[in-house]
Amino acid sequence: MTTSRVPRHSPDGTRDDADARLEQENAQLRHAVNSHATVDQAIGVLTAIHQLPTAAGFDVLREVSQHTNTKLHTVAETVIAWALGQPLPEPVGQELDAAVQRRSQQQDAAG
């Protein structure tokens, strides 16, 4: 099966709606993959620095995201930048410390 990379046009000269929908879906999927990679990297930072299990690292990011009303991938980008030497914004830093402490206490109680 071959596909053409030439955009199809409807009789009125506009691009086919299906092509436009596929391009939009493709862009959304690319964004999701990039966001997922960023979140994975931030989890790696948290697991390395705070010696948390991977699942706890994700929980920390999720809690910080919820408590600061910041998108998860934005929190992840901030954590990665922090690992590279940038300062943490105050609300993110406070929530990150609190979430890590909660997870560490839960780990201690469980193990």
Side-chain angles (χ1 to χ4, degrees), residues 19-81:
D19 283 346
R21 281 193 310 272
L22 287 173
E23 283 185 16
Q24 181 182 18
E25 183 178 334
N26 193 8
Q28 289 171 343
L29 289 171
R30 275 194 307 270
H31 178 72
V33 166
N34 290 336
S35 290
H36 186 78
T38 301
V39 170
D40 283 347
Q41 290 172 7
I43 290 170
V45 167
L46 294 175
T47 59
I49 292 174
H50 297 291
Q51 299 174 344
L52 296 171
T54 303
F58 178 77
D59 290 340
V60 166
L61 290 177
R62 182 181 45 78
E63 288 178 26
V64 172
S65 173
Q66 290 174 342
H67 293 172
T68 62
N69 196 28
T70 306
K71 291 191 178 282
L72 182 69
H73 71 91
T74 303
V75 171
E77 289 170 348
T78 303
V79 168
I80 293 167

Side-chain angles (χ1 to χ4, degrees), residues 79-86:
V79 168
I80 293 167
W82 169 67
L84 296 172
Q86 304 251 339

Side-chain angles (χ1 to χ4, degrees), residues 78-102:
T78 303
V79 168
I80 293 167
W82 169 67
L84 296 172
Q86 304 251 339
L88 279 173
E90 190 61 32
V92 172
Q94 288 175 344
E95 289 299 331
L96 184 63
D97 288 343
V100 166
Q101 187 174 14
R102 281 191 298 272

